[in-house]
């Protein structure tokens, strides 16, 4: 999918589910895009430039992929993001600074992955987060106070770890 060199002025939603995408290098998302859904594909890696400049993005769904690695600065420009879902995608590691710029995030879904451990500070930027779903991973240890800065948290699911 290539959206470059066209006369489209405004796209608020972008969806490409079930296209067997392995990379999204050739996709240029409009800066005003508010929702991106790339579910049921074969993404193996989230590179730090995939979502560059998307300061208005509010919802990002990357469910049911094969993501083994997310580059540490992948979400840096997503300053308006409220909903992030990366369910059932094979993630096994989350870098400590991955979510630092996501201060408006309300819901983070990382269930059905292969996450084994979480580092202190991973969730420290989430003052507005109400839902954190970490069910059905392989988490064997939670550092003391890992969730202590989540003052708005209403739902925390850690079942089946």
């Amino acid at each position: 999918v290539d959206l470059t060199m066209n006369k489209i002025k405004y796209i608020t939603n972008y969806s490409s589910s079930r296209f067997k995408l392995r990379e999204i290098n050739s996709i240029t998302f409009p800066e005003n895009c508010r929702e991106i859904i790339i579910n049921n594909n074969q993404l193996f890696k989230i590179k730090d430039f995939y979502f560059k400049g998307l300061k208005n993005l509010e919802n990002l769904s990357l469910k049911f992929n094969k993501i083994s690695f997310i580059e540490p600065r992948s979400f840096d420009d997503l300053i308006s993001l409220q909903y992030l879902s990366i369910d059932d995608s094979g993630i096994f590691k989350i870098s400590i600074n991955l979510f630092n710029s996501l201060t408006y995030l309300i819901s983070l879904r990382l269930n059905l992955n292969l996450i084994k451990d979480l580092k202190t500070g991973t969730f420290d930027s989430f003052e507005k987060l109400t839902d954190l779903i970490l069910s059905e991973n392989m988490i064997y240890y939670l550092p003391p106070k890992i969730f202590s800065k989540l003052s708005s948290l209403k739902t925390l699911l850690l079942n089946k770890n």
Side-chain angles (χ1 to χ4, degrees):
V1 176
D2 189 351
L3 299 175
T4 59
M5 304 292 289
N6 63 59
K7 295 181 182 184
I8 297 172
K9 300 252 188 236
Y10 193 78
I11 293 179
T12 57
N13 301 57
Y14 175 84
S15 179
S16 67
S17 296
R18 300 185 191 272
F19 284 116
K20 297 184 180 178
L21 294 176
R22 291 179 181 263
E23 291 190 352
I24 52 178
N25 293 347
S26 63
I27 299 172
T28 303
F29 300 108
E31 288 182 11
N32 56 9
C33 195
R34 295 193 188 279
E35 180 176 56
I36 295 174
I37 300 170
I38 306 176
N39 297 337
N40 295 299
N41 282 285
Q42 296 179 4
L43 293 177
F44 290 100
K45 186 178 197 179
I46 302 298
K47 296 183 180 178
D48 58 8
F49 60 86
Y50 281 178
F51 307 112
K52 194 110 177 115
L54 298 178
K55 297 184 185 316
N56 296 315
L57 193 68
E58 296 172 356
N59 183 15
L60 177 59
S61 183
L62 301 168
K63 296 189 246 183
F64 314 114
N65 280 285
K66 298 178 181 183
I67 301 166
S68 60
F69 184 70
I70 302 175
E71 290 184 359
R73 301 186 59 114
S74 295
F75 304 129
D76 280 5
D77 283 0
L78 305 182
I79 58 173
S80 298
L81 197 67
Q82 296 175 24
Y83 303 94
L84 178 58
S85 181
I86 317 176
D87 301 334
D88 201 357
S89 290
I91 298 168
F92 60 89
K93 183 179 179 185
I94 298 173
S95 67
I96 192 167
N97 298 319
L98 182 63
F99 303 122
N100 280 0
S101 65
L102 305 181
T103 57
Y104 287 98
L105 203 66
I106 295 169
S107 176
L108 176 60
R109 301 183 58 91
L110 295 167
N111 55 306
L112 292 160
N113 281 294
L114 303 170
I115 300 167
K116 289 184 180 178
D117 67 325
L118 297 167
K119 306 288 185 222
T120 301
T122 302
F123 305 115
D124 284 1
S125 62
F126 294 147
E127 292 178 19
K128 298 179 187 292
L129 193 74
T130 60
D131 301 312
L132 178 57
I133 314 300
L134 294 164
S135 304
E136 298 187 55
N137 278 284
M138 300 172 77
I139 300 168
Y140 60 90
Y141 174 75
L142 291 170
K145 300 185 180 185
I146 188 162
F147 305 120
S148 65
K149 296 199 177 178
L150 301 177
S151 59
S152 299
L153 194 65
K154 293 180 182 172
T155 304
L156 172 62
L157 296 181
L158 290 162
N159 55 304
K160 296 186 181 178
N161 273 289

